[in-house]
PDB file of all heavy atoms in Angstrom:
ATOM      1  N   GLY M   5      95.072  96.416 118.603  1.00  0.00           N
ATOM      2  CA  GLY M   5      95.975  96.635 119.730  1.00  0.00           C
ATOM      3  C   GLY M   5      95.509  97.784 120.587  1.00  0.00           C
ATOM      4  O   GLY M   5      94.576  98.518 120.237  1.00  0.00           O
ATOM      5  N   GLY M   6      96.192  97.980 121.696  1.00  0.00           N
ATOM      6  CA  GLY M   6      95.861  99.089 122.556  1.00  0.00           C
ATOM      7  C   GLY M   6      96.334  98.878 124.040  1.00  0.00           C
ATOM      8  O   GLY M   6      97.203  97.997 124.250  1.00  0.00           O
ATOM      9  N   LEU M   7      95.825  99.699 124.893  1.00  0.00           N
ATOM     10  CA  LEU M   7      96.168  99.658 126.330  1.00  0.00           C
ATOM     11  C   LEU M   7      95.029  98.982 127.099  1.00  0.00           C
ATOM     12  O   LEU M   7      93.856  99.360 126.916  1.00  0.00           O
ATOM     13  CB  LEU M   7      96.399 101.064 126.840  1.00  0.00           C
ATOM     14  CG  LEU M   7      96.641 101.242 128.308  1.00  0.00           C
ATOM     15  CD1 LEU M   7      97.949 100.546 128.751  1.00  0.00           C
ATOM     16  CD2 LEU M   7      96.722 102.721 128.710  1.00  0.00           C
ATOM     17  N   VAL M   8      95.359  98.009 127.952  1.00  0.00           N
ATOM     18  CA  VAL M   8      94.355  97.318 128.711  1.00  0.00           C
ATOM     19  C   VAL M   8      94.937  96.993 130.102  1.00  0.00           C
ATOM     20  O   VAL M   8      96.169  96.866 130.224  1.00  0.00           O
ATOM     21  CB  VAL M   8      93.941  96.018 127.980  1.00  0.00           C
ATOM     22  CG1 VAL M   8      95.084  95.064 127.849  1.00  0.00           C
ATOM     23  CG2 VAL M   8      92.706  95.384 128.664  1.00  0.00           C
ATOM     24  N   GLN M   9      94.076  96.923 131.083  1.00  0.00           N
ATOM     25  CA  GLN M   9      94.532  96.550 132.392  1.00  0.00           C
ATOM     26  C   GLN M   9      94.772  95.051 132.512  1.00  0.00           C
ATOM     27  O   GLN M   9      94.140  94.259 131.755  1.00  0.00           O
ATOM     28  CB  GLN M   9      93.543  96.993 133.469  1.00  0.00           C
ATOM     29  CG  GLN M   9      93.493  98.507 133.678  1.00  0.00           C
ATOM     30  CD  GLN M   9      92.612  98.894 134.841  1.00  0.00           C
ATOM     31  OE1 GLN M   9      91.651  98.147 135.157  1.00  0.00           O
ATOM     32  NE2 GLN M   9      92.900 100.016 135.457  1.00  0.00           N
ATOM     33  N   ALA M  10      95.630  94.648 133.421  1.00  0.00           N
ATOM     34  CA  ALA M  10      95.850  93.245 133.627  1.00  0.00           C
ATOM     35  C   ALA M  10      94.515  92.535 133.955  1.00  0.00           C
ATOM     36  O   ALA M  10      93.662  93.063 134.681  1.00  0.00           O
ATOM     37  CB  ALA M  10      96.808  93.049 134.815  1.00  0.00           C
ATOM     38  N   GLY M  11      94.329  91.361 133.336  1.00  0.00           N
ATOM     39  CA  GLY M  11      93.082  90.618 133.490  1.00  0.00           C
ATOM     40  C   GLY M  11      92.103  90.921 132.397  1.00  0.00           C
ATOM     41  O   GLY M  11      91.103  90.189 132.279  1.00  0.00           O
ATOM     42  N   GLY M  12      92.382  91.913 131.640  1.00  0.00           N
ATOM     43  CA  GLY M  12      91.477  92.289 130.517  1.00  0.00           C
ATOM     44  C   GLY M  12      91.675  91.513 129.265  1.00  0.00           C
ATOM     45  O   GLY M  12      92.500  90.553 129.225  1.00  0.00           O
ATOM     46  N   SER M  13      90.931  91.881 128.199  1.00  0.00           N
ATOM     47  CA  SER M  13      91.007  91.156 126.947  1.00  0.00           C
ATOM     48  C   SER M  13      91.147  92.117 125.778  1.00  0.00           C
ATOM     49  O   SER M  13      90.731  93.291 125.852  1.00  0.00           O
ATOM     50  CB  SER M  13      89.676  90.367 126.743  1.00  0.00           C
ATOM     51  OG  SER M  13      89.494  89.419 127.744  1.00  0.00           O
ATOM     52  N   LEU M  14      91.757  91.606 124.735  1.00  0.00           N
ATOM     53  CA  LEU M  14      91.844  92.320 123.450  1.00  0.00           C
ATOM     54  C   LEU M  14      91.699  91.293 122.328  1.00  0.00           C
ATOM     55  O   LEU M  14      92.049  90.091 122.523  1.00  0.00           O
ATOM     56  CB  LEU M  14      93.208  93.009 123.290  1.00  0.00           C
ATOM     57  CG  LEU M  14      93.436  94.304 124.078  1.00  0.00           C
ATOM     58  CD1 LEU M  14      94.904  94.735 123.886  1.00  0.00           C
ATOM     59  CD2 LEU M  14      92.491  95.414 123.619  1.00  0.00           C
ATOM     60  N   ARG M  15      91.243  91.726 121.197  1.00  0.00           N
ATOM     61  CA  ARG M  15      91.167  90.871 120.005  1.00  0.00           C
ATOM     62  C   ARG M  15      91.947  91.568 118.870  1.00  0.00           C
ATOM     63  O   ARG M  15      91.574  92.621 118.423  1.00  0.00           O
ATOM     64  CB  ARG M  15      89.729  90.628 119.597  1.00  0.00           C
ATOM     65  CG  ARG M  15      89.576  89.586 118.513  1.00  0.00           C
ATOM     66  CD  ARG M  15      88.173  89.518 118.013  1.00  0.00           C
ATOM     67  NE  ARG M  15      87.902  88.356 117.189  1.00  0.00           N
ATOM     68  CZ  ARG M  15      87.117  88.324 116.148  1.00  0.00           C
ATOM     69  NH1 ARG M  15      86.497  89.405 115.781  1.00  0.00           N
ATOM     70  NH2 ARG M  15      86.935  87.213 115.450  1.00  0.00           N
ATOM     71  N   LEU M  16      92.974  90.861 118.375  1.00  0.00           N
ATOM     72  CA  LEU M  16      93.703  91.370 117.244  1.00  0.00           C
ATOM     73  C   LEU M  16      93.161  90.738 115.957  1.00  0.00           C
ATOM     74  O   LEU M  16      92.757  89.563 115.944  1.00  0.00           O
ATOM     75  CB  LEU M  16      95.161  90.990 117.402  1.00  0.00           C
ATOM     76  CG  LEU M  16      95.887  91.480 118.664  1.00  0.00           C
ATOM     77  CD1 LEU M  16      97.359  91.083 118.595  1.00  0.00           C
ATOM     78  CD2 LEU M  16      95.721  92.959 118.900  1.00  0.00           C
ATOM     79  N   SER M  17      93.183  91.543 114.901  1.00  0.00           N
ATOM     80  CA  SER M  17      92.789  91.057 113.574  1.00  0.00           C
ATOM     81  C   SER M  17      93.885  91.380 112.573  1.00  0.00           C
ATOM     82  O   SER M  17      94.597  92.388 112.753  1.00  0.00           O
ATOM     83  CB  SER M  17      91.489  91.726 113.138  1.00  0.00           C
ATOM     84  OG  SER M  17      90.446  91.471 113.971  1.00  0.00           O
ATOM     85  N   CYS M  18      93.998  90.558 111.593  1.00  0.00           N
ATOM     86  CA  CYS M  18      94.987  90.787 110.537  1.00  0.00           C
ATOM     87  C   CYS M  18      94.401  90.354 109.204  1.00  0.00           C
ATOM     88  O   CYS M  18      94.037  89.183 109.046  1.00  0.00           O
ATOM     89  CB  CYS M  18      96.261  89.991 110.796  1.00  0.00           C
ATOM     90  SG  CYS M  18      97.446  89.977 109.452  1.00  0.00           S
ATOM     91  N   ALA M  19      94.256  91.298 108.271  1.00  0.00           N
ATOM     92  CA  ALA M  19      93.638  91.018 107.007  1.00  0.00           C
ATOM     93  C   ALA M  19      94.622  91.255 105.902  1.00  0.00           C
ATOM     94  O   ALA M  19      95.373  92.252 105.889  1.00  0.00           O
ATOM     95  CB  ALA M  19      92.419  91.922 106.806  1.00  0.00           C
ATOM     96  N   ALA M  20      94.607  90.361 104.926  1.00  0.00           N
ATOM     97  CA  ALA M  20      95.466  90.512 103.739  1.00  0.00           C
ATOM     98  C   ALA M  20      94.814  91.481 102.773  1.00  0.00           C
ATOM     99  O   ALA M  20      93.583  91.480 102.642  1.00  0.00           O
ATOM    100  CB  ALA M  20      95.717  89.187 103.089  1.00  0.00           C
ATOM    101  N   SER M  21      95.622  92.273 102.073  1.00  0.00           N
ATOM    102  CA  SER M  21      95.085  93.284 101.158  1.00  0.00           C
ATOM    103  C   SER M  21      94.501  92.673  99.892  1.00  0.00           C
ATOM    104  O   SER M  21      93.752  93.338  99.206  1.00  0.00           O
ATOM    105  CB  SER M  21      96.190  94.272 100.808  1.00  0.00           C
ATOM    106  OG  SER M  21      97.304  93.589 100.233  1.00  0.00           O
ATOM    107  N   VAL M  22      94.914  91.434  99.586  1.00  0.00           N
ATOM    108  CA  VAL M  22      94.371  90.777  98.390  1.00  0.00           C
ATOM    109  C   VAL M  22      93.982  89.352  98.756  1.00  0.00           C
ATOM    110  O   VAL M  22      94.494  88.787  99.742  1.00  0.00           O
ATOM    111  CB  VAL M  22      95.409  90.748  97.254  1.00  0.00           C
ATOM    112  CG1 VAL M  22      95.693  92.162  96.793  1.00  0.00           C
ATOM    113  CG2 VAL M  22      96.691  90.023  97.668  1.00  0.00           C
ATOM    114  N   LEU M  23      93.112  88.756  97.974  1.00  0.00           N
ATOM    115  CA  LEU M  23      92.754  87.357  98.206  1.00  0.00           C
ATOM    116  C   LEU M  23      93.938  86.523  97.785  1.00  0.00           C
ATOM    117  O   LEU M  23      94.436  86.599  96.650  1.00  0.00           O
ATOM    118  CB  LEU M  23      91.500  86.982  97.419  1.00  0.00           C
ATOM    119  CG  LEU M  23      90.226  87.548  97.938  1.00  0.00           C
ATOM    120  CD1 LEU M  23      89.047  87.153  97.041  1.00  0.00           C
ATOM    121  CD2 LEU M  23      89.952  87.094  99.365  1.00  0.00           C
ATOM    122  N   PHE M  24      94.442  85.724  98.734  1.00  0.00           N
ATOM    123  CA  PHE M  24      95.643  84.925  98.507  1.00  0.00           C
ATOM    124  C   PHE M  24      95.528  83.633  99.266  1.00  0.00           C
ATOM    125  O   PHE M  24      95.015  83.647 100.399  1.00  0.00           O
ATOM    126  CB  PHE M  24      96.868  85.714  98.965  1.00  0.00           C
ATOM    127  CG  PHE M  24      98.133  85.402  98.186  1.00  0.00           C
ATOM    128  CD1 PHE M  24      98.351  85.979  96.957  1.00  0.00           C
ATOM    129  CD2 PHE M  24      99.031  84.527  98.700  1.00  0.00           C
ATOM    130  CE1 PHE M  24      99.500  85.684  96.273  1.00  0.00           C
ATOM    131  CE2 PHE M  24     100.207  84.253  98.025  1.00  0.00           C
ATOM    132  CZ  PHE M  24     100.443  84.846  96.773  1.00  0.00           C
ATOM    133  N   SER M  25      96.034  82.564  98.723  1.00  0.00           N
ATOM    134  CA  SER M  25      95.909  81.282  99.441  1.00  0.00           C
ATOM    135  C   SER M  25      97.134  81.071 100.322  1.00  0.00           C
ATOM    136  O   SER M  25      98.195  80.534  99.871  1.00  0.00           O
ATOM    137  CB  SER M  25      95.767  80.157  98.445  1.00  0.00           C
ATOM    138  OG  SER M  25      95.643  78.909  99.055  1.00  0.00           O
ATOM    139  N   PHE M  26      97.008  81.434 101.574  1.00  0.00           N
ATOM    140  CA  PHE M  26      98.135  81.242 102.507  1.00  0.00           C
ATOM    141  C   PHE M  26      98.074  79.862 103.102  1.00  0.00           C
ATOM    142  O   PHE M  26      97.005  79.305 103.300  1.00  0.00           O
ATOM    143  CB  PHE M  26      98.052  82.287 103.630  1.00  0.00           C
ATOM    144  CG  PHE M  26      98.257  83.676 103.194  1.00  0.00           C
ATOM    145  CD1 PHE M  26      97.209  84.602 103.218  1.00  0.00           C
ATOM    146  CD2 PHE M  26      99.486  84.114 102.726  1.00  0.00           C
ATOM    147  CE1 PHE M  26      97.393  85.883 102.775  1.00  0.00           C
ATOM    148  CE2 PHE M  26      99.695  85.427 102.321  1.00  0.00           C
ATOM    149  CZ  PHE M  26      98.623  86.332 102.354  1.00  0.00           C
ATOM    150  N   ASN M  27      99.240  79.338 103.434  1.00  0.00           N
ATOM    151  CA  ASN M  27      99.309  78.117 104.199  1.00  0.00           C
ATOM    152  C   ASN M  27      99.127  78.453 105.674  1.00  0.00           C
ATOM    153  O   ASN M  27      98.041  78.683 106.143  1.00  0.00           O
ATOM    154  CB  ASN M  27     100.609  77.394 103.930  1.00  0.00           C
ATOM    155  CG  ASN M  27     100.666  76.932 102.489  1.00  0.00           C
ATOM    156  OD1 ASN M  27      99.653  76.684 101.840  1.00  0.00           O
ATOM    157  ND2 ASN M  27     101.869  76.832 101.921  1.00  0.00           N
ATOM    158  N   ASP M  28     100.238  78.554 106.410  1.00  0.00           N
ATOM    159  CA  ASP M  28     100.080  78.914 107.810  1.00  0.00           C
ATOM    160  C   ASP M  28      99.920  80.423 107.960  1.00  0.00           C
ATOM    161  O   ASP M  28     100.474  81.203 107.183  1.00  0.00           O
ATOM    162  CB  ASP M  28     101.347  78.516 108.565  1.00  0.00           C
ATOM    163  CG  ASP M  28     101.502  77.021 108.686  1.00  0.00           C
ATOM    164  OD1 ASP M  28     100.646  76.299 108.177  1.00  0.00           O
ATOM    165  OD2 ASP M  28     102.493  76.531 109.322  1.00  0.00           O
ATOM    166  N   MET M  29      99.177  80.816 109.008  1.00  0.00           N
ATOM    167  CA  MET M  29      99.060  82.198 109.409  1.00  0.00           C
ATOM    168  C   MET M  29      99.305  82.230 110.924  1.00  0.00           C
ATOM    169  O   MET M  29      99.000  81.255 111.593  1.00  0.00           O
ATOM    170  CB  MET M  29      97.694  82.824 109.093  1.00  0.00           C
ATOM    171  CG  MET M  29      97.387  82.815 107.600  1.00  0.00           C
ATOM    172  SD  MET M  29      95.800  83.596 107.210  1.00  0.00           S
ATOM    173  CE  MET M  29      96.248  85.346 107.279  1.00  0.00           C
TER     174      MET M  29
END
């Protein structure tokens, strides 16, 4: 996350702390 100007781009990441078999994310 962060601050960006209109028209710009960001990439969010989310990592689980343990290996786990998730269905939907």
